[in-house]
């Protein structure tokens, strides 16, 4: 089992930046892929960014060029650097650990971008 704890959310003005962190309770080098998802009110949860053990990344079209996902295996943490934030980025952001037969989720962290 893996526990995921997100941090770094908050309130920021449009154009600003935030960095989210996701600390895992076990070595993330053993996890197939780590990702960030978000869910805005009234909308479905959607993939924001994902990174595999090999370092391959993929991003939602809406965040390409603005967000960067990275991982530090030494501290079992995945990051999401978010720049040029817009009000449309407002959502609860969830960390995800994709293992072979099971997926784990964090509790989420709120990101609010004011105009």
């Amino acid at each position: 089992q893996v526990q995921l704890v997100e941090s770094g959310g908050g309130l920021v003005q449009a154009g600003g930046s935030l960095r989210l962190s996701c600390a895992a309770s076990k070595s993330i080098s053993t996890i197939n892929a780590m990702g960030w998802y978000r869910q805005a009110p009234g909308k479905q949860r959607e993939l924001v960014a994902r990174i595999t053990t090999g370092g391959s990344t993929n991003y939602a079209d809406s965040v390409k060029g603005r967000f960067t996902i990275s991982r530090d295996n030494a501290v079992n943490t995945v990051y999401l650097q978010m720049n040029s934030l817009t009000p449309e980025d407002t959502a609860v952001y969830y960390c995800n650990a994709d293992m072979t037969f099971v997926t784990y989720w964090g509790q989420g962290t709120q990101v609010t971008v004011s105009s």
Side-chain angles (χ1 to χ4, degrees), residues 17-92:
S17 299
L18 284 174
R19 188 177 81 154
L20 305 183
S21 299
C22 171
S25 62
K26 66 174 289 183
S27 173
I28 62 173
S29 63
T30 65
I31 299 173
N32 296 336
M34 300 287 295
W36 286 97
Y37 289 70
R38 67 186 180 187
Q39 187 166 18
K43 294 188 177 181
Q44 290 188 331
R45 190 173 297 188
E46 63 175 359
L47 173 68
V48 176
R50 188 172 179 266
I51 185 167
T52 68
T53 51
S56 297
T57 59
N58 61 287
Y59 297 90
D61 287 343
S62 59
V63 307
K64 283 180 181 177
R66 300 188 299 124
F67 291 11
T68 302
I69 189 170
S70 62
R71 59 196 296 162
D72 186 341
N73 290 351
V75 292
N76 297 323
T77 300
V78 176
Y79 304 97
L80 185 68
Q81 178 67 44
M82 305 186 295
N83 299 327
S84 302
L85 286 161
T86 73
E88 288 69 37
D89 295 316
T90 295
V92 178

